Amino acid sequence: PVASWASQVAGTFQVPSPALESIPDLLEQPVADTVQDTVQASNARIDILEQDPVPPVFDPAAIRGGARVLRLQSHCPARAFFEIRLGAKQLRVPPFGIDAAWRGNIIHDALEDLYRRLNALNGSQQTAATEICAAIDAAANKTINKLIPPAHPLSEALRNNEHKRLLRLLGDVIENDQRRPPIIVTELEAGHTAHIGALQLNLRVDRIDKLESGQKLIIDYKTGKAFSIDKWRGERLAEPQLPLYAVTGDADAIALMKIGDKVTLSGVGDIDISGMITPEKFAGANWSVVVEQWRTGLELLVDEFIGGDLRIDAQNDADAGGEFAMLTRVHSPCRGES
């Protein structure tokens, strides 16, 4: 046990409560100079009776989730354990306006609706400009009516602002398509089941394009600024979602479509279009070798997760903090002993 009291209050020196005199051992210990000294002194007296390792996953088929399972395992195995295996959830603070997650859902819904409309016509590259404008406006209105409740106190302002934003962004996405070789959008927000190692993961692919050559390009929409194809490099894939699609979806290339101030396409594969780099330039190997390297990295993450890996990366512990800190003990000096 550790007892503490304020040494001064408003300039007046204090003494410990008489109630503490019943525990003399506490008062015989030297007074720590700081809270950190107190915590460290307390931890120094901790006796570890026995190791209690995390049990491996008994039934991998019972694990529910998609690529997020592997992303969490890559970033913070402890967070993956608490969130995926134990079902711990972070309490979301309701935004007063529209936060990044809400805005991302809006653009995803609008793009899905827009491309379904254009596929019913002549596609994004062959449909007349007036019909494209009408489809964009209709998709924007439908999405806004669906995702921005009329009862919201800022409903009118949010709807007006989001309508203007969607008109611009959807138009930029179509312009990006029109600068590319002929394509057919074959899938939109399609559900897929992927088997990697011992896990079966449920995936949702934003979009799949088929080129005249028959090649298949898997596209994932990203509305944030923190995404980069550099996160597909290395043994531990920082962003495993699209490599997982490549490994399990028989793709010829994968790409991020960043939708923000401007729309850009960047990716890796055997497709010669603007924004894409070859596998040789990306990793010094051909596409099949790169895909196998990704498979090995993904299977490593699966094996860690199944085995009960509960580490915290001291250099990248953001996912272990916040409301999960009391579970991960990320701020504890002895966290590595768990």
Side-chain angles (χ1 to χ4, degrees), residues 221-235:
Y221 301 133
K222 296 298 183 186
T223 54
K225 297 181 179 180
F227 298 95
S228 166
I229 65 173
D230 288 334
K231 295 185 177 182
W232 301 339
R233 291 188 167 99
E235 183 179 345

Side-chain angles (χ1 to χ4, degrees), residues 239-269:
E239 290 294 340
Q241 182 179 15
L242 275 168
L244 181 59
Y245 293 169
V247 167
T248 61
D250 190 30
D252 297 292
I254 55 174
L256 301 171
M257 181 175 283
K258 295 185 181 180
I259 304 172
D261 295 334
K262 59 180 180 179
V263 173
T264 59
L265 190 75
S266 58
V268 178

Side-chain angles (χ1 to χ4, degrees), residues 114-124 184-188:
L114 172 61
Y115 276 95
R116 293 197 185 283
R117 293 174 188 273
L118 293 179
N119 281 352
L121 299 170
N122 294 314
S124 61
I184 298 174
V185 178
T186 60
E187 292 190 32
L188 293 165

Side-chain angles (χ1 to χ4, degrees), residues 294-335:
W294 284 336
R295 183 186 300 277
T296 299
L298 293 169
E299 289 176 346
L300 171 67
L301 295 176
V302 170
D303 290 344
E304 289 180 2
F305 179 80
I306 294 294
D309 188 330
L310 199 61
R311 291 172 297 161
I312 297 174
D313 183 353
Q315 304 302 316
N316 182 27
D317 59 9
D319 283 335
E323 295 176 27
F324 280 84
M326 62 181 176
L327 296 175
T328 63
R329 297 191 304 147
V330 65
H331 303 304
S332 170
C334 59
R335 69 186 186 188

Side-chain angles (χ1 to χ4, degrees), residues 121-144:
L121 299 170
N122 294 314
S124 61
Q125 295 174 321
Q126 301 298 324
T127 300
T130 54
E131 291 181 299
I132 289 177
C133 288
I136 288 174
D137 188 62
N141 285 327
K142 183 177 178 179
T143 300
I144 288 170

Side-chain angles (χ1 to χ4, degrees), residues 63 78-89 305 310 327:
I63 297 298
R79 173 73 175 267
F81 172 78
F82 289 117
E83 182 171 324
I84 306 300
R85 291 186 61 179
L86 299 189
K89 297 296 181 185
F305 179 80
L310 199 61
L327 296 175

Side-chain angles (χ1 to χ4, degrees), residues 85-315:
R85 291 186 61 179
L86 299 189
K89 297 296 181 185
Q90 194 164 15
L91 293 176
R92 183 171 177 267
V93 177
F96 189 64
I98 296 181
D99 64 5
W102 191 356
R103 191 162 272 127
N105 289 337
I106 288 174
I107 192 67
H108 274 75
D109 262 62
L111 282 168
E112 179 185 3
D113 185 86
L114 172 61
Y115 276 95
R116 293 197 185 283
R117 293 174 188 273
L118 293 179
N119 281 352
L121 299 170
N122 294 314
S124 61
Q125 295 174 321
Q126 301 298 324
T127 300
T130 54
E131 291 181 299
I132 289 177
C133 288
I136 288 174
D137 188 62
N141 285 327
K142 183 177 178 179
T143 300
I144 288 170
N145 289 333
K146 175 184 175 183
L147 296 182
I148 301 181
H152 194 288
L154 297 177
S155 177
E156 184 175 354
L158 293 179
R159 286 166 173 259
N160 289 336
N161 289 340
E162 285 305 298
H163 188 265
K164 293 176 183 177
R165 188 180 76 96
L166 284 176
L167 293 185
R168 176 179 63 83
L169 293 178
L170 298 183
D172 289 348
V173 171
I174 298 303
E175 286 184 13
N176 184 278
D177 282 358
Q178 293 174 341
R179 292 193 295 268
R180 293 168 51 194
I183 58 169
I184 298 174
V185 178
T186 60
E187 292 190 32
L188 293 165
E189 300 294 338
H192 291 261
T193 299
H195 293 85
I196 188 77
L199 287 183
Q200 175 178 301
L201 302 176
N202 297 319
L203 308 179
R204 183 164 295 277
V205 179
D206 289 344
R207 172 175 159 185
I208 297 179
D209 289 358
K210 184 177 180 181
L211 282 68
E212 280 187 322
S213 61
Q215 293 172 301
K216 183 165 67 173
L217 169 64
I218 297 180
I219 295 176
D220 193 57
Y221 301 133
K222 296 298 183 186
T223 54
K225 297 181 179 180
F227 298 95
S228 166
I229 65 173
D230 288 334
K231 295 185 177 182
W232 301 339
R233 291 188 167 99
E235 183 179 345
R236 297 185 69 82
L237 299 172
E239 290 294 340
Q241 182 179 15
L242 275 168
L244 181 59
Y245 293 169
V247 167
T248 61
D250 190 30
D252 297 292
I254 55 174
L256 301 171
M257 181 175 283
K258 295 185 181 180
I259 304 172
D261 295 334
K262 59 180 180 179
V263 173
T264 59
L265 190 75
S266 58
V268 178
D270 283 329
I271 292 178
D272 184 19
I273 59 175
S274 177
M276 303 291 292
I277 63 174
T278 64
E280 289 77 14
K281 184 175 181 181
F282 176 76
N286 63 36
W287 179 243
S288 61
V289 171
V290 171
V291 171
E292 285 307 308
Q293 289 173 348
W294 284 336
R295 183 186 300 277
T296 299
L298 293 169
E299 289 176 346
L300 171 67
L301 295 176
V302 170
D303 290 344
E304 289 180 2
F305 179 80
I306 294 294
D309 188 330
L310 199 61
R311 291 172 297 161
I312 297 174
D313 183 353
Q315 304 302 316

